[in-house]
Amino acid sequence: MPDVRTPLISGNWKMNLDHFEALRNLQKLAWLLPKDIYQRSDVSIHPPFTDIRTLQTSIEADRMDILLGAQHCHHEVTGAFTGEVSPVFLQKLDVKLVICGHSERRDIFGETDEMVNAKVKAILKHNMTPIMCVGESLAEREAGETEAKVLGQVVNGLQGVKKAEVGSMVIAYEPIWAIGTGKTATADDAQQVCASIRAAVTASFGADAGASVRIQYGGSVKPGTTEELMAQPDIDGALVGGASLDPDDFSQIVKIAAG
Ligand code: PGA
């Protein structure tokens, strides 16, 4: 099967930038990215919830090709879940991609594989694309448990998801020890884990799903590390945290990744 996967470069802004700052950031990014970049890549930004409405208006008014994303959502549509945000609300705001199972949510807010699986299904049900994050801690890596941990998260997170839906998804491999630390997995190590993720998807959901699921690498991606990571056959994009807060750096990363 020919390689038809379009790279996806996503900026995870985490709990940074109020809606005024976010708007400035988006507009600078849109200005820095040439129009033809979107023929070779998809670009998404994932601001805090309170910024989404403002950015939606700007994306729509200026006909930007940047895709609006969210960092999280609840799996239920409505109800007594104080502080949570429904996937329906995100869909109404033209959100296209939702990150779920980020290691910060797993570690700090106690999200389990089962919760991540419920979110994946809810996001798909509302016609958005999940970016399901998986990754091992430093202790797990040093104990030789990287694949067991990561593939376990993949299998559990995709439980009961239809083959065609899995093929439309994004899985982000984010070694926890590389997030926000300035340490990046070597391109060879990242490729090896991403290839194993693709093999696990193929084994459970068939060759088509394995060939079309997009796998991102995330963890201290910077302009200087992008080219080598993106040259790997099973790495289809990047989930960028810190460097996505600077439109100059992020646009550089997008340009390198788009090729
Ligand atoms: P980082 O974050 O690029 O700052 O390491 C990546 C992420 O957490 O998605």
Side-chain angles (χ1 to χ4, degrees):
M1 185 162 187
D3 186 351
V4 290
R5 298 185 298 270
T6 305
L8 169 67
I9 305 91
S10 304
N12 175 9
W13 292 357
K14 308 195 182 189
M15 201 173 74
N16 295 289
L17 309 179
D18 64 34
H19 67 289
F20 294 118
E21 296 164 334
L23 185 58
R24 275 200 295 276
N25 218 296
L26 168 71
Q27 286 173 341
K28 182 160 184 201
L29 180 64
W31 181 77
L32 285 168
L33 290 175
K35 273 278 164 203
D36 68 345
I37 204 104
Y38 306 102
Q39 285 154 21
R40 306 190 300 280
S41 63
D42 292 331
V43 183
S44 66
I45 48 159
H46 300 255
F49 285 135
T50 51
D51 301 352
I52 289 180
R53 177 68 174 132
T54 305
L55 300 197
Q56 180 216 1
T57 307
S58 178
I59 287 173
E60 204 180 312
D62 293 340
R63 295 176 210 270
M64 291 177 190
D65 294 303
I66 294 169
L67 302 169
L68 188 54
Q71 301 173 14
H72 163 65
C73 72
H74 197 266
H75 66 274
E76 293 286 353
V77 164
T78 146
F81 303 104
T82 301
E84 285 292 329
V85 170
S86 160
V88 175
F89 305 162
L90 297 179
Q91 187 186 23
K92 273 258 160 70
L93 290 165
D94 279 339
V95 165
K96 306 291 187 214
L97 300 114
V98 185
I99 297 170
C100 54
H102 192 282
S103 63
E104 285 153 17
R105 296 224 49 103
R106 291 179 190 261
D107 291 350
I108 306 169
F109 303 104
E111 283 189 11
T112 62
D113 284 355
E114 291 66 33
M115 291 159 79
V116 174
N117 178 241
K119 287 175 205 290
V120 164
K121 289 175 178 162
I123 295 161
L124 287 165
K125 189 169 172 202
H126 295 94
N127 296 319
M128 297 179 289
T129 302
I131 299 181
M132 185 180 82
C133 301
V134 296
E136 82 286 2
S137 66
L138 188 57
E140 287 160 343
R141 168 159 285 249
E142 284 171 350
E145 292 164 3
T146 298
E147 298 227 340
K149 170 74 182 294
V150 169
L151 300 186
Q153 288 178 324
V154 170
V155 169
N156 293 337
L158 298 180
Q159 204 73 247
V161 181
K162 296 192 191 83
K163 286 181 183 179
E165 289 178 332
V166 172
S168 74
M169 281 183 55
V170 181
I171 298 175
Y173 168 53
E174 296 208 304
I176 298 168
W177 50 270
I179 296 175
T181 57
K183 293 184 192 143
T184 321
T186 65
D188 282 351
D189 279 354
Q191 161 57 22
Q192 198 183 326
V193 179
C194 291
S196 301
I197 293 172
R198 194 176 304 287
V201 170
T202 303
S204 300
F205 298 93
D208 286 354
S212 58
V213 66
R214 289 192 282 183
I215 304 177
Q216 293 178 317
Y217 169 81
S220 297
V221 174
K222 302 275 180 284
T225 53
T226 305
E227 189 171 358
E228 212 188 343
L229 287 162
M230 289 299 302
Q232 305 306 314
D234 289 296
I235 299 180
D236 308 314
L239 181 53
V240 186
S244 74
L245 295 172
D246 178 343
D248 288 309
D249 279 354
F250 190 56
S251 63
Q252 274 290 104
I253 291 170
V254 173
K255 286 179 195 167
I256 296 165

